[in-house]
Amino acid sequence: VQLQASGGGLVQAGGSLGLSCAASGRTFSLFNVAWFRQAPGKDREFVAAIREGDGNTYYTDSVKGRFTISRDAAKSTVYLQMNSLKPEDTAVYFCAHKKYRPISSAIASAGTWTYWGQGTQVTVSS
C-alpha cells in the first residue's frame, strides 16, 4: 500500500488549502485514515481522522471548526480541507492508514497507524 499526500503549498493567514491522500497498490477503500503534521523541531502531531463503520471524524482541538476530513471511497482518496489557516498550522502534513478500525482512544497516537504517505508541506505566512 502506498499513500500519496498532495495539495500543500504557501498561503496567507486566513486562507484555505485542500490536501488529498490517495492510495495505490492493494485495492481497498480508505476507511481508516488520519492526518498528522510535524513542524520543525517538534513531534508529529495528530490533526484529524476518519474511521470506518460509524464514519466518525476526530480532530485535535486546535483545528476544530477550521479543518474538515472527508473521503471518497470510490477514488480511494481522503481529503483534508483547511480553512482559516494560521501561521501555527505550518508543518509537513502526513496521511496515514490502518486496515482495521482503530479504537477511539488510540486514534491520536502515531503508533496506531500502519501506512504513511511521504508528507506535503503547508506554509502559512502571517
Side-chain angles (χ1 to χ4, degrees), residues 25-76:
R26 295 176 61 186
T27 301
F28 67 97
S29 297
L30 287 178
F31 288 123
N32 302 304
V33 174
W35 286 96
F36 284 75
R37 64 187 179 187
Q38 188 165 20
K42 294 188 176 181
D43 293 335
R44 193 165 295 193
E45 174 192 28
F46 170 76
V47 177
I50 189 165
R51 195 172 66 164
E52 71 174 293
D54 52 20
N56 280 354
T57 55
Y58 303 82
Y59 300 92
T60 191
D61 287 345
S62 63
V63 308
K64 285 180 181 177
R66 300 189 298 121
F67 291 12
T68 302
I69 187 170
S70 61
R71 65 181 170 221
D72 184 335
K75 296 182 179 179
S76 291

Side-chain angles (χ1 to χ4, degrees), residues 37 39 42 45 66 86-91 93 124:
R37 64 187 179 187
K42 294 188 176 181
E45 174 192 28
R66 300 189 298 121
K86 304 176 181 179
E88 51 263 44
D89 294 319
T90 295
Y93 282 70
V124 185

Side-chain angles (χ1 to χ4, degrees), residues 79 106 122:
Y79 306 97
V122 172

